[in-house]
């Protein structure tokens, strides 16, 4: 296994080398979100190892739609970004170097807020339960923090319905487990996007379509492979 520093900076280097093919393989929204997540990583304090790890994970989530045989996707499997200060600083500095080079290359990405807003609008279109409905299922108690909770500017907090068993049931245990792996409490939008977007590790379809179809361990394994690298 390569070190976090070597593997993390290697992925960032490959992004720079294969930027044209990445743009060709991703949709406009996916590519702009990747650039947005790279900016967030570049702006992360280099010595805050936990924040760097989360920001780097968000970048990795953006690369999941790439084909299995793409050099960047192949490199993801070798990445294990451990939470230590010696790893964090070179990853952030390499990201800043990458973005400095990209600033001279057209087209310029749109406003960061606009990119994130477009992603959030898409995710908010999925069927969801209101906060009151979820509290009702827990008889007024607070729901588990692992549940994905998306803030809708018009309707308030919304919990994507796919997390729950049909007929008013409790959450799927595998959903809670995957959400813990994806740090859904810190990045609910990233976790929701993982569930609802195509995933080459799982055959190309969205993981949400595989609930109750594929073994739970495969869903958890795909999430762990993304976050930790195998």
């Amino acid at each position: 296994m390569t070190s976090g520093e070597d593997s993390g900076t290697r992925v960032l280097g490959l992004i720079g080398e294969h930027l044209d093919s990445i743009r060709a393989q991703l949709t406009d929204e996916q590519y702009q979100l990747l650039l947005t997540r790279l900016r967030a990583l570049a702006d992360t304090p280099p010595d805050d190892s936990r924040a760097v790890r989360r920001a780097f994970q968000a970048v990795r989530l953006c690369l999941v739609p790439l084909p299995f045989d793409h050099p960047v996707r192949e490199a993801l499997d070798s990445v294990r970004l451990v939470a230590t200060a010696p790893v964090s600083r070179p990853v952030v500095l390499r990201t800043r170097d990458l973005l400095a080079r990209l600033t001279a290359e057209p087209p310029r990405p749109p406003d960061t807020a606009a990119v994130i807003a477009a992603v959030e609008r898409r995710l908010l279109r999925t069927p969801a339960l209101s906060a009151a409905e979820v509290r009702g299922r827990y008889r007024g108690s607070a729901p588990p923090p692992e549940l994905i909770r998306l803030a809708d500017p018009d309707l308030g907090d919304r919990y994507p319905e796919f997390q729950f068993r049909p007929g008013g049931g409790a959450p799927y245990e595998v959903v809670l487990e995957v959400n813990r792996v994806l740090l859904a409490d810190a990045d609910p939008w990233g976790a929701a996007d993982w569930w609802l977007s195509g995933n080459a590790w799982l055959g190309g379809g969205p993981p949400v379509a595989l609930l109750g179809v594929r073994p739970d361990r495969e869903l958890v394994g795909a999430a762990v492979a993304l976050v930790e690298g195998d």
Side-chain angles (χ1 to χ4, degrees), residues 132-144 147 159 164 169-171 176:
E133 289 172 320
V134 173
R135 284 196 302 270
R137 295 194 180 197
Y138 289 90
R139 300 184 178 181
S141 299
L147 282 175
Y159 293 78
F164 299 89
L176 296 180

Side-chain angles (χ1 to χ4, degrees), residues 51-107:
V52 170
R53 185 167 185 246
R54 288 183 173 179
F56 188 79
Q57 178 186 333
V59 171
R60 296 179 66 194
L61 283 168
C62 295
L63 299 169
V64 169
L66 292 174
F68 244 154
D69 58 353
H70 192 281
V72 174
R73 272 300 311 278
E74 291 178 343
L76 290 183
D77 292 339
S78 68
V79 174
R80 184 179 297 275
L81 188 64
V82 295
T84 58
V87 171
S88 303
R89 180 170 292 276
V91 167
V92 172
L93 296 181
R94 184 60 177 267
T95 305
R96 292 175 181 175
D97 289 342
L98 172 61
L99 287 174
R101 184 169 68 81
L102 292 179
T103 57
E105 298 182 6

Side-chain angles (χ1 to χ4, degrees), residues 32-52:
Q32 299 303 339
L33 182 60
L34 171 61
L35 295 183
T36 298
R37 298 305 192 195
L38 285 170
R39 286 195 187 88
L41 177 55
D43 291 339
T44 303
D47 295 324
D48 188 342
S49 58
R50 182 174 176 83
V52 170

Side-chain angles (χ1 to χ4, degrees), residues 83-165:
T84 58
V87 171
S88 303
R89 180 170 292 276
V91 167
V92 172
L93 296 181
R94 184 60 177 267
T95 305
R96 292 175 181 175
D97 289 342
L98 172 61
L99 287 174
R101 184 169 68 81
L102 292 179
T103 57
E105 298 182 6
R108 295 287 295 134
D111 180 70
T112 296
V115 173
I116 293 177
V119 174
E120 292 180 355
R121 284 195 299 271
R122 172 173 59 81
L123 295 175
L124 286 172
R125 288 196 291 268
T126 191
L129 302 177
S130 68
E133 289 172 320
V134 173
R135 284 196 302 270
R137 295 194 180 197
Y138 289 90
R139 300 184 178 181
S141 299
E146 296 90 345
L147 282 175
I148 296 169
R149 174 173 53 87
L150 305 179
D152 187 310
D154 299 318
L155 301 176
D157 288 343
R158 308 289 288 171
Y159 293 78
E161 193 172 17
F162 70 78
Q163 300 178 102
F164 299 89
R165 298 181 183 277

